[in-house]
Amino acid sequence: EVQLVESGGGLVQPGESLRLSCAASGFTFSNYYMSWVRQTPGKGLEWVSTITSTIRGSVAAYTDSVKGRFTVSRDSAKLYLQLNSLKTEDTAMYYCAKMSGWPPYFEVWGQGTLVTVSS
């Protein structure tokens, strides 16, 4: 069974940092593109970042609003998202997602981890 379990969320002040993790199991993690997506009540679902499979060089892409502040990475079994210089508008539930197919689509989602940025 494919499972994705996020962790690392919390309450921080503007300008601070967090590191989110997503533990993957049940599939050959290195073979798949992985993404971070966030959800807020006002804006709905927003794609944040995607990282290609290890064999494709683990190349990262970001939505414009987080470029230069967020960094996605992966190791053999986990996906990470380093969140720096957090802003109040980054407050959201953050989900990791396993991508499949071509063009890639979001096949499996984790349960999410909540990030709250507030002074």
Side-chain angles (χ1 to χ4, degrees), residues 38 43 46-47 62-67 69 87 90:
R38 64 187 179 186
K43 295 177 66 176
E46 179 186 26
W47 169 75
Y62 304 93
T63 191
D64 286 346
S65 62
V66 309
K67 282 180 183 176
R69 300 188 300 121
K87 306 176 180 180
D90 295 318

Side-chain angles (χ1 to χ4, degrees), residues 49-70:
S49 179
T50 294
I51 186 167
T52 65
S53 59
T54 303
I55 197 170
R56 289 190 180 271
S58 299
V59 178
Y62 304 93
T63 191
D64 286 346
S65 62
V66 309
K67 282 180 183 176
R69 300 188 300 121
F70 291 9

Side-chain angles (χ1 to χ4, degrees), residues 6-36:
E6 300 94 333
S7 61
L11 172 63
V12 297
Q13 294 188 342
E16 294 187 338
S17 298
L18 278 175
R19 189 191 196 205
L20 307 184
S21 297
C22 171
S25 61
F27 64 105
T28 306
F29 178 69
S30 61
N31 288 356
Y32 289 88
Y33 288 34
M34 297 293 296
S35 290
W36 288 98

Side-chain angles (χ1 to χ4, degrees), residues 58-114:
S58 299
V59 178
Y62 304 93
T63 191
D64 286 346
S65 62
V66 309
K67 282 180 183 176
R69 300 188 300 121
F70 291 9
T71 303
V72 63
S73 61
R74 64 190 303 165
D75 62 20
S76 60
K78 281 191 175 182
L79 179 72
Y80 303 96
L81 187 66
Q82 178 69 39
L83 291 70
N84 295 331
S85 303
L86 281 161
K87 306 176 180 180
T88 55
E89 53 263 42
D90 295 318
T91 295
M93 184 72 79
Y94 284 73
Y95 299 92
C96 69
K98 171 181 178 282
M99 305 189 75
S100 290
W102 195 263
Y105 63 94
F106 302 115
E107 180 190 14
V108 180
W109 298 72
Q111 86 289 348
T113 186
L114 181 62

